[in-house]
Each structure stands twice: as C-alpha cells, then as structure tokens.
Amino acid sequence: MLFQIAWRNIWRNTSRSLVVVSSIIIGIWAGIFILSFSWGLYKNNINESVYKQLSHIQIHNPDFKQENDPKFTIPNSDSILKQLESDNRIASVSSRVIATGMITSTTTASGVTIYGINPVSETNQIGLDQNLIEGVYFGSGKDNEILIGQKLAKKHKLKLKSKVVLTFTNVNSEIVSAAFRVGGIYRSKNISLDEVNVYVKQEHLRELLDLKPSETNEIAILIKDEEQLDSITNYSKTLVPNAKVEDWRQLAPELDLIIESFNLYTYIISGLILLALTFGIVNTMLMSVLERIRELGMLMAIGLNKRKIFFMIMLETIYLTLMGCPIGLLMGWLTVTILGRTGIDISMFSEGLASYGFSSMIYPALDQEKYMIIVTMCLITAILSAIYPAYKALQLNPSEAIRKI
Amino acid sequence: MAKTIIDAHNVTKTYNPEKVPVYAVQDVHVHIEEGEFVALVGPSGSGKSTLLNMMGGLDEPTKGSVIIDGVELTELSENKLIDFRLHNIGFVFQAFNLIPVLTAKENVGFVLQLQHMPKKEREKRVLSLLEEVDLEDKIDSKPGELSGGQQQRIAVARALASKPKIILADEPTANLDSKSAANLLNIMAKLNKEENITFLFSTHDQRVIKKARRVITLVDGKVDSDVQQTPT
Ligand SMILES: Nc1ncnc2c1ncn2[C@@H]1O[C@H](COP(=O)(O)OP(=O)(O)OP(=O)(O)O)[C@@H](O)[C@H]1O
Ligand SMILES: [Mg+2]
C-alpha cells in the first residue's frame, strides 16, 4: 500500500515531478556526453601516438635504449621481419636504423634524430607520405634524399632540393658527414617532433653507419586487434630472445596515466552533476513534504509509524530518481553509440588542436566500466537525496502538524 | 456500572514554559465511561483541541496523566503510542482527514491494512462501514471528488474501521453546512447507540451540542461545567 501511495503522491504535482525527472535525464545524458567526448579526445591522442609514432610494440637492443648509440643493433632483422610479416595478427612491421647527429645548412646547424626507414612499410606506420606538404615521397630515386619537417625547414630556411649536411658518429666511433638533398617537407600532428625528426633511406644510412646488412636499431609492430597486444608481445619476446620488447604502455607511460586518470575524471564529472541534481531533488522533496505537513500529521495520528512515514517519503524520492536515471543512461548510451559511429567534426577548432596531436574527427566512446560508475553514482544519489526529506518528515510532531489545519 | 474508558487526571498543558507561558489546559479531571456521547465546548482558545490531542496521545501533558482503557499513555514509547492509537482510538479532524491519493474504499481500508487484516475480510468490512455512513455508492471516489460532508462521513467510517474503544473528533462539523452537520451527528449518534462506541467531540455549534448526552464546558483551560442532558 505504501508503494502505491508513494507512487500516486509523486503524480499529485505532475509538472513538478516531470521537471525533476527531466533534469535527472538531462544531467545524466550531459554527463555521459561530456565523458564520452573527452574520452574520444584522449583516444584520438593515444591513437595518434600509437599509430603514427610508437606503434603497438617496439623491439630494441637493450643497450640501445640506454646509450642511444646505433652500434647496439638487433642482428638478423630481415628474418625476424619476415616471420612477423607472415603472422596474420599483425597489420604492419617496420625496421628502423636510428642515429642522432647534427644537420647543417648554409644558415645554421641543429641537432636531429635521423631515421633510416623503409619507405614502403612505413606508409602504414609513420605515414609520412600522407603528411607531405611539399615534394614527392622518396620520389627522386636517389640515395641521398631526405625528408624534413616544416618547422625544421623554416628554421634553416630550407626549400625543396636544398642541400644539407648530416654529421654523426658511426659504429666505429668515427665522425661521418654526408650530403643530402631535401626531397620532401612534411607536417605531422606532432609539431614539436617535426623539428628534430628527419627521415632518410635505410640502406644508405646503414652504409654510412657501417652497420652490417640486416642490422637495425628498432623494429616497430602495428597489430590488428588491441586485445591481442599481450599475446603478440610475448610471442615477439620468444622470437627475439635477447632484445627488449615493449608495448606502447611501457613506451609511453604518460599515455597509461591518462587512461588511469580518466577514471578519476569520470568520478568527478558524474559526482558534480549528481551533486547538483541532489540539491534539486532534495529541494523539491522538501517542498512537497512541507506542503503535506497536515496530511503527514493525520497519517501519524491514525497509526502510521515513523518508520513507515520515512519509508514512504524515501520511496517517493527514489521513484523520481529511478525514473530519470535509466532514461538518461539510455539516451546517453544511444548518443554515444550513434556519434561514436559518425564521429564529430571539430575542424573548426582543430587548427590549435593539431599542434597537440589531435585529429579533427572525434569519436565519442565510453566503456562499460564507466557506465557502471555512473549507474552506481546514480543509485547513491537516489538514496542520499531520499534520506534528508524523509528525515525532515520524521521531525514533525503530530499534534503540531494537525494544528495547522 | 459501565467501565471507565477515559481517565484524565490532573491534566495540565503549558506552552512555552520558559518564555511567555500559555496555560492552555490547567488541572483538568475528566472521567468518561464506555458508551458515552460527550460534547466538549467552550470559547475559542479555551483548550479543547489541546485536551483532545492529549487524550488521543498526540500530545504529551506537561503534568498529570491520561489513562485510556487502563493504559497510561505517558508511559508508552513513541512507536508503541502510534500502535496504541492504531488499535484503540479513532480520530476525526476538522479537515484533511483523508489521504487524497486514495479512494474512499482505500482510505477506510488503509488502517485495516496497517493492522494486517486479510484482503477478503478487509473488503467486506470496508463495504459495511461505508454502508453505515451511507456512502456505498462513492467507494471509488477520491476525496477531492466528494463534498465536505461526505469526506467527514468517510473519516468517521475510517475512524471506526479498527474497532476502536473511543472516537475523538475535533470540530468535525466546523466546515459543514447545518444539514450535513446534522446528518454526520445522526450517524455518530446511531453508531454510539448501536455499537456502544464512545464519542468525545469538540464543537461550537449549538445544534450539535443539543445532540450530546453530556456536555463538558472548558473556560480558560479549566472545566467550567460538566452536565448530563437529554439529547433533542
Ligand atoms: N503550539 C502552541 N504554542 C503555544 N501556544 C499554543 C499552541 N497551541 C495552542 N496554544 C494556545 O493554547 C490555547 C488553547 O488552544 P486550543 O487550540 O486548545 O483552543 P481551542 O479551544 O481548540 O480553540 P478553537 O475553538 O479556536 O479551536 C490557546 O490560547 C492557544 O493560543
Ligand atoms: Mg480547536
């Protein structure tokens, strides 16, 4: 009976209840949207780093990571590459020869990291062919072609076909200088790296460094399904037993931190929204209790004990909250599902975002765990906001309440 | 001799004892026996509501004791008191007697449900109670769809539902026209006679006072007179 009375009571003031329910719906929907949009942004950033810079897995000679010296190599790279390429869980594999050195132009000199790459396989990974703003991707067919970033080009006042000299130490600790011609100028999503990363053909750099054929400094693997990251990482470890095999989370702990901190962010955002809603709900329910003082007094007089009064008012609040929460969750989920497919184009603002490594399409997404957090917080809200009005109703003294008649 | 159903002994109620004390009820002794039909009269502010509330256990006397059917009310805990009211005392107030979201039938059945009466038995009793107050045709109406007199009759039916020893009514006719008031009083008098239920009601209305068999007059919180009369 109390369930029935409580249910009917909330429809005594239909518009007021509807306002409460819709504010809950909108609040939760907005919360889910904000969270999924932020996650979309983060994911963008992470994908950009993983797909264009890090790859999912990198393999190095353990000493290379320490000393950054190209003499610490992975021998037999060719056969390792072949084996990885033939694995159908793997989307793309590339090897790299890496040296640090100096670039000198007619105007100035600056430090650079020189990547000796395989132009074909890197179209799937570093993807410079898509980022070129001038020139043709290794189009000259000559060995001494170099691709540089727009930022570096500006700094050195370099144009296409300009001549530059790279200076670095080879594996025999001799200083080597070699002339290169700018074959292309690129602009990536990470402008700060554009100033230091230059790309040349792997064979040529290997010769200059005096490395043996099939020796490389880095193998980068892009996988098809993120779920298989751990198993492929372990497989790679068995394939190259003496090397250091790391996945992207180990390569860029700051990305992992972003993911961890997003949980906290979820709690804070949904907590704030629900806190605001709590005030609205409590306020409305207090109003409805105050309007019914005489009625509550009468109920106590005819024999409804305080426990039941408390329960009845609690129920009314919980009904309101529990009507709004599922609808808000459903609407939020639908929005995320639809926009997650179509994406949101933020190119209007992407001018600035590009420099931080964001792309202009955002795909909102939210995983189950986050929904669970929101559901839990909703339930907590329902109960917390129910307690105070019900407690207020308890403090009524029946004789005083009735006297208001 | 009939047994004493209400024994108010030395009952005093003082509001605001610290600041400006209001002596609402002072040193009142009242004995009411089973089956009596008593009107409580007196000018406005004389303490009628205060006394009725204390007799019904809605309010605690500052001093003195109220014993209903042998039970000392001041000794009961709050929840025990609510339970005691549920089983022993029926209330009819001036207004807002009914739960607005429930129909007449549900309102009367509500107290029975609180007493855990089984559904079949409950429905039978509710129907017979509504017949007693001549409202069997309004069982599915909500209070808002009923006249003031009809609402008060349902309140009486509800007060009767739990088969209480006494029914306390604080100005039950104050909001009614004289015809509805007379009708309500006739029903109360009939129940008093036929089912031996004790009624104690406060009123200002001379015509209502005439229907009582005993009239207690309060003035300034004290019993001014207490007389038996033949109802007319
Ligand atoms: N909560 C309260 N605080 C202070 N004084 C009160 C309170 N309730 C009642 N009084 C005072 O107690 C006195 C008795 O009030 P009561 O309501 O019992 O009178 P009444 O006889 O029922 O009057 P009426 O015929 O107008 O209903 C009045 O003087 C009133 O002002
Ligand atoms: Mg009064």
Side-chain angles (χ1 to χ4, degrees):
Chain A
M1 188 56 122
L2 282 181
F3 290 93
Q4 208 176 355
I5 296 178
W7 177 252
R8 292 191 198 168
N9 274 340
I10 59 177
W11 297 114
R12 278 160 81 166
N13 194 331
T14 314
S15 51
R16 186 165 68 192
S17 295
L18 284 182
V19 166
V20 172
V21 172
S22 26
S23 64
I24 295 172
I25 293 175
I26 293 170
I28 289 175
W29 175 81
I32 290 177
F33 181 75
I34 293 170
L35 287 172
S36 66
F37 187 79
S38 319
W39 183 240
L41 273 175
Y42 281 156
K43 193 78 190 150
N44 229 338
N45 190 10
I46 291 168
N47 281 347
E48 200 66 48
S49 303
V50 170
Y51 284 90
K52 296 293 176 209
Q53 291 163 24
L54 298 170
S55 294
H56 290 109
I57 301 166
Q58 288 186 5
I59 306 172
H60 299 100
N61 182 315
D63 293 323
F64 178 80
K65 290 293 269 187
Q66 304 258 313
E67 315 260 329
N68 234 344
D69 188 324
K71 77 179 174 205
F72 299 113
T73 59
I74 309 163
N76 302 324
S77 293
D78 284 352
S79 70
I80 296 167
L81 278 181
K82 272 214 184 76
Q83 266 176 291
L84 289 172
E85 271 164 4
S86 65
D87 193 317
N88 59 12
R89 295 172 300 172
I90 289 172
S92 174
V93 199
S94 293
S95 63
R96 293 152 192 173
V97 172
I98 303 168
T100 45
M102 189 94 106
I103 189 166
T104 322
S105 64
T106 47
T107 46
T108 177
S110 63
V112 285
T113 306
I114 308 153
Y115 283 86
I117 61 169
N118 175 355
V120 179
S121 71
E122 292 292 6
T123 54
N124 297 322
Q125 290 182 265
I126 300 176
L128 279 180
D129 52 327
Q130 296 132 51
N131 290 338
L132 273 197
I133 53 173
E134 276 182 73
V136 185
Y137 183 66
F138 293 103
S140 71
K142 288 189 182 129
D143 276 348
N144 65 347
E145 185 172 347
I146 184 169
L147 301 184
I148 61 170
Q150 189 186 30
K151 207 158 175 204
L152 188 69
K154 274 203 182 121
K155 187 168 164 185
H156 286 259
K157 301 204 173 64
L158 294 172
K159 293 202 187 66
L160 278 182
K161 305 243 165 63
S162 296
K163 206 180 118 185
V164 294
V165 173
L166 295 180
T167 310
F168 45 85
T169 339
N170 73 6
V171 295
N172 311 315
S173 304
E174 299 155 355
I175 301 221
V176 182
S177 284
F180 287 84
R181 223 170 259 287
V182 176
I185 297 173
Y186 70 86
R187 186 177 151 186
S188 78
K189 295 271 157 59
N190 193 330
I191 287 174
S192 55
L193 287 182
D194 290 4
E195 195 177 339
V196 286
N197 286 356
V198 301
Y199 299 89
V200 301
K201 283 187 177 169
Q202 190 171 99
E203 284 308 313
H204 189 51
L205 184 61
R206 185 182 282 128
E207 274 166 32
L208 291 170
L209 285 169
D210 207 14
L211 286 173
K212 293 188 197 72
S214 176
E215 274 188 319
T216 59
N217 300 114
E218 179 172 291
I219 293 175
I221 305 168
L222 214 54
I223 63 175
K224 286 178 181 160
D225 181 0
E226 298 237 13
E227 299 281 304
Q228 293 175 321
L229 183 62
D230 285 343
S231 70
I232 299 177
T233 307
N234 287 332
Y235 168 70
S236 310
K237 278 179 188 160
T238 61
L239 208 60
V240 201
N242 296 322
K244 194 171 174 83
V245 178
E246 293 163 295
D247 66 25
W248 62 271
R249 283 163 177 265
Q250 291 157 322
L251 292 164
E254 73 277 7
L255 294 182
D256 212 29
L257 203 67
I258 288 180
I259 295 170
E260 290 302 315
S261 65
F262 192 74
N263 260 335
L264 184 67
Y265 186 63
T266 308
Y267 279 114
I268 292 173
I269 293 281
S270 52
L272 281 178
I273 288 175
L274 290 171
L275 189 69
L277 288 177
T278 304
F279 277 99
I281 298 167
V282 167
N283 180 48
T284 310
M285 284 311 295
L286 277 181
M287 221 151 70
S288 122
V289 166
L290 289 180
E291 279 172 9
R292 285 184 287 161
I293 286 184
R294 290 175 288 211
E295 193 181 317
L296 294 171
M298 176 270 292
L299 286 171
M300 288 188 226
I302 66 167
L304 203 62
N305 63 32
K306 297 214 157 177
R307 199 163 43 87
K308 287 185 172 130
I309 300 254
F310 186 83
F311 182 64
M312 183 180 84
I313 306 285
M314 281 268 288
L315 266 184
E316 292 179 19
T317 319
I318 289 174
Y319 279 147
L320 286 178
T321 324
L322 291 194
M323 258 189 289
C325 283
I327 301 177
L329 280 165
L330 186 72
M331 278 177 54
W333 177 79
L334 277 178
T335 311
V336 172
T337 311
I338 292 167
L339 288 179
R341 231 166 259 157
T342 61
I344 303 171
D345 191 354
I346 54 154
S347 54
M348 268 158 66
F349 320 101
S350 76
E351 207 65 44
L353 286 171
S355 58
Y356 295 104
F358 289 108
S359 97
S360 67
M361 284 304 278
I362 302 297
Y363 295 91
L366 209 58
D367 59 33
Q368 240 173 349
E369 191 193 350
K370 308 297 180 300
Y371 281 111
M372 286 319 292
I373 292 179
I374 297 171
V375 170
T376 318
M377 305 271 281
C378 277
L379 292 179
I380 294 173
T381 309
I383 289 165
L384 279 188
S385 53
I387 287 175
Y388 187 65
Y391 168 75
K392 269 291 180 205
L394 280 197
Q395 299 190 314
L396 289 175
N397 171 332
S399 75
E400 305 229 324
I402 289 159
R403 202 172 276 282
K404 300 250 159 59
I405 291 173
Chain B
M1 214 185 105
K3 72 170 180 181
T4 302
I5 195 94
I6 300 177
D7 186 5
H9 196 75
N10 203 13
V11 170
T12 299
K13 180 76 185 181
T14 314
Y15 289 109
N16 294 330
E18 276 94 38
K19 295 175 210 155
V20 194
V22 177
Y23 304 101
V25 170
Q26 293 183 61
D27 239 355
V28 168
H29 294 259
V30 172
H31 288 265
I32 294 173
E33 287 170 2
E34 195 165 30
E36 282 201 273
F37 198 65
V38 188
L40 189 59
V41 302
S44 184
S46 57
K48 303 185 293 294
S49 298
T50 308
L51 185 59
L52 276 175
N53 283 346
M54 287 189 290
M55 286 176 165
L58 296 176
D59 214 349
E60 231 183 301
T62 318
K63 237 169 60 190
S65 66
V66 175
I67 298 165
I68 304 284
D69 198 20
V71 177
E72 163 73 73
L73 294 191
T74 47
E75 280 171 7
L76 297 177
S77 70
E78 201 173 346
N79 273 326
K80 282 257 171 64
L81 194 57
I82 288 179
D83 223 44
F84 183 82
R85 286 203 295 264
L86 174 63
H87 289 94
N88 299 286
I89 306 172
F91 286 96
V92 180
F93 304 107
Q94 185 178 327
F96 296 100
N97 272 297
L98 304 175
I99 302 166
V101 295
L102 299 184
T103 63
K105 191 170 70 179
E106 290 167 334
N107 259 293
V108 177
F110 185 62
V111 271
L112 297 176
Q113 214 167 357
L114 290 177
Q115 294 181 331
H116 308 293
M117 185 184 275
K119 192 167 180 213
K120 272 234 176 86
E121 198 183 334
R122 195 170 72 219
E123 283 186 346
K124 240 172 78 189
R125 177 148 175 80
V126 168
L127 214 64
S128 78
L129 284 164
L130 286 170
E131 271 167 24
E132 294 239 43
V133 296
D134 287 329
L135 282 173
E136 62 269 34
D137 53 334
K138 297 288 184 192
I139 50 172
D140 289 321
S141 305
K142 297 236 172 99
E145 300 155 5
L146 297 170
S147 75
Q150 289 169 331
Q151 288 183 36
Q152 290 304 75
R153 274 144 65 194
I154 290 174
V156 170
R158 201 257 326 267
L160 279 172
S162 59
K163 296 197 174 141
K165 311 260 165 33
I166 51 173
I167 289 184
L168 300 175
D170 193 0
E171 309 203 28
T173 61
N175 289 338
L176 304 183
D177 60 61
S178 51
K179 210 176 132 218
S180 307
N183 184 253
L184 186 71
L185 252 289
N186 286 337
I187 286 174
M188 283 163 58
K190 183 186 81 179
L191 290 166
N192 171 250
K193 206 171 281 158
E194 289 172 3
E195 312 206 3
N196 203 31
I197 292 167
T198 315
F199 274 88
L200 173 59
F201 52 94
S202 72
T203 185
H204 285 293
D205 190 333
Q206 281 307 319
R207 281 164 302 185
V208 172
I209 297 169
K210 278 189 208 139
K211 305 264 183 194
R213 284 188 276 126
R214 178 178 166 190
V215 179
I216 300 173
T217 310
L218 284 185
V219 174
D220 288 340
K222 292 179 185 146
V223 178
D224 188 61
S225 70
D226 185 348
V227 294
Q228 305 281 337
Q229 67 176 28
T230 318
T232 51

